[in-house]
Amino acid sequence: MAQTDPTLTRRTLHYYWQATRNHLGLFIAMVCSTIGFGVLLTYGNPFMMSLIVDRVSAGPVAADQVFQVFWPYIVALIAINLLGQASSKLQDYTLWKLEIAVSYDLATQAFDALSNQSMTFHSNRFGGTLVSQTTKYMNAYSQLVETLTFPFLPVLESVVMVCIILLPRVPVYVAILMAMLVVYAFISYRMYKRILRLNEQAAGAQNNLSGELSDSVTNILAVKTYGREDYERALFDQANREVVARDSKRMMASLARGVITACIALCIMSMVTVFIAGGNAWFGITPGTLVLMFTYTYTITNQFNFINSGLQRLNRAFGDAAGMTTVLDEPRLVADAEDAQPLVVTEGRIEFKDLDFWYTDGDVKTQVFDKFNMTIEPGERIGLVGMSGAGKSTLTKLLLRLSDIQEGEILVDGQNVAETTQQSLRRQIAYVPQEALLFHRTIAENIAYGKPDATMEEIREAARQANALEFIEKLPEGFETVTGERGIKLSGGQRQRIAIARAMLADCPILVLDEATSALDSESERLVQDALARLMAGRTAIVVAHRLSTVASLDRIVVLRDGKIAEDGPHEELIQAGGEYAYLWGRQTGAYLES
């Protein structure tokens, strides 16, 4: 069985306290109103009634003397209830307001943590799981605060009020009661620690279930076209059964704790019954104090019973928050330097100097680049080609700082990208990948993503230059058409042209095209190639391609092999050299056939 990180709960509380501290006034008001509400209505009312009972038991009061004798008690009871109700309503307001305010901060905190993590981080996790963890993390705070407000603060004030009011009157009874409550609390805490681990495991199983569902739904086309519904259902069922097993263990442990604590509560009520029955005869306890003993003991026992459900909610809250707490604790693999400056691009010169980069998978280290050097002049259009795994796409991701190099430098106009802010770097580089990255938003919003303040005329012009205007205008809602999740409502060529229009509108001095045409049909490729030619004009461009016809017309072609430059030069020169590029060209164009 996996062991729970002993610091995880403390780390969760740390993050929650950071958010709560921003609204400290609301938190203090909530605590004070909760205490005031409980003290006044739960303990003030019975205390005043005990004084009335003692006064009544002291001797009869004439009918015409009732108000004269009892008016102080009546006024006190009205004042206690008035203040108690006001505290109750203040508690409702401050609790609700606090949850709203802190939930906003926690959502922002989680979003910032996820959006600022590296691509390596996201490639190793289900998107659906991260969304589920974020939602649970926010909801867990509300559970935690409500558990503090209702079972735990009232229990604390019950112990204090019982000691203050009953200890001077019946010290022996209070001593026995407190001893039994200590046993109750100790057993509850020990079982709480065990159930906390079970809750974290149950939350982890639920996150895996969400991840399986998300993965299957996201790739539903592959599932259906390969007839793998049964296979995906089996995977989902396995994760679902794990959730049932974990929840069942948590349920049995919680029920066992409930039975044990109920037995202790029964002992406590049995003791108070004996004391009330014989208290006056044995110890001369007044009727009013006997009323207080029963009322307070019954109240405190009920509140300790609520601790069971409170601890269960507390366990669930910490278990639900554990996933996102782990994410928040995760170090950023790519982070801005403390003194990072905005990148300023005036020419677009790119230099890779003595580049070392490797990645690890478990204990296996894979070296991608070793002392790699390459320079791209301002406005130069170069193609990166080579066999799969040669490092082509990796090089572009290192330029964008989606991963960080271990040694060496990447310079843009003489500025080390590691010393510039990531946002300013990426705003100077238009990136068009093989699969267009579209949001579930309108076409206009998708095109304007790189320039949110663009006018409609600018958006239309970018679409025109990207050869996208014609098909957009044929859509029933034109530019207001919602593309669907990841642009699913559009064809591959249409999505790619919208991505190119976005890059056109962003007007960055550096352009990176990563297999931007490899998945297109001939007609779509022709339209996209035409759009890309316009996009590359006047810009420093890096084009990653397996299809060599994509790069044949570029200024320079770099052939990578095992993270090193195997060949470098224009298309005609490389063909005449008869090396690796010429071989690949021949294979793709049929320039020669093997016998």
Side-chain angles (χ1 to χ4, degrees), residues 70-130:
F70 289 104
W71 76 265
Y73 305 107
I74 295 172
V75 172
L77 274 172
I78 292 174
I80 285 172
N81 280 276
L82 178 64
L83 292 173
Q85 292 298 336
S87 295
S88 172
K89 299 303 169 276
L90 180 61
Q91 178 200 54
D92 291 342
Y93 170 77
T94 53
L95 176 59
W96 203 339
K97 187 75 173 175
L98 181 68
E99 287 183 356
I100 292 172
V102 174
S103 290
Y104 174 85
D105 290 347
L106 293 177
T108 303
Q109 179 190 50
F111 180 85
D112 287 345
L114 294 175
S115 63
N116 288 311
Q117 268 294 1
S118 69
M119 288 307 298
T120 301
F121 170 90
H122 286 284
S123 348
N124 292 325
R125 287 164 175 81
F126 283 125
T129 298
L130 293 174

Side-chain angles (χ1 to χ4, degrees), residues 126-289:
F126 283 125
T129 298
L130 293 174
V131 172
S132 172
Q133 287 173 341
T134 301
T135 303
K136 288 182 178 181
Y137 178 68
M138 293 165 59
N139 292 339
Y141 178 82
S142 295
Q143 289 187 55
L144 186 63
V145 172
E146 288 170 12
T147 303
L148 170 69
T149 304
F150 297 112
F152 290 114
L153 275 178
V155 163
L156 181 61
E157 70 185 24
S158 293
V159 172
V160 172
M161 293 304 295
V162 165
C163 290
I164 290 174
I165 296 174
L166 291 183
L167 190 60
R169 302 183 181 200
V170 278
V172 174
Y173 173 79
V174 172
I176 296 173
L177 177 62
M178 290 300 119
M180 297 182 78
L181 290 177
V182 166
V183 173
Y184 188 112
F186 176 75
I187 291 175
S188 292
Y189 176 72
R190 288 299 298 268
M191 299 192 75
Y192 156 79
K193 289 182 68 177
R194 176 171 178 263
I195 296 173
L196 177 61
R197 182 177 68 251
L198 296 177
N199 270 280
E200 290 174 0
Q201 292 170 352
Q206 185 64 54
N207 287 335
N208 287 337
L209 180 67
S210 299
E212 288 290 350
L213 178 61
S214 173
D215 199 33
S216 183
V217 170
T218 301
N219 296 286
I220 191 65
L221 182 60
V223 174
K224 287 186 173 298
T225 53
Y226 281 89
R228 298 287 277 172
E229 290 90 345
D230 289 345
Y231 175 75
E232 291 299 322
R233 189 183 188 283
L235 289 179
F236 182 81
D237 187 64
Q238 181 180 353
N240 208 4
R241 288 180 183 277
E242 183 67 13
V243 169
V244 171
R246 297 296 186 184
D247 279 343
S248 297
K249 284 186 178 180
R250 175 169 60 181
M251 176 192 70
M252 294 305 296
S254 297
L255 288 175
R257 180 182 62 192
V259 169
I260 294 171
T261 52
C263 291
I264 299 174
L266 178 62
C267 293
I268 292 174
M269 290 310 298
S270 300
M271 178 196 67
V272 73
T273 303
V274 172
F275 262 90
I276 289 172
N280 183 263
W282 299 334
F283 304 108
I285 301 173
T286 66
T289 301

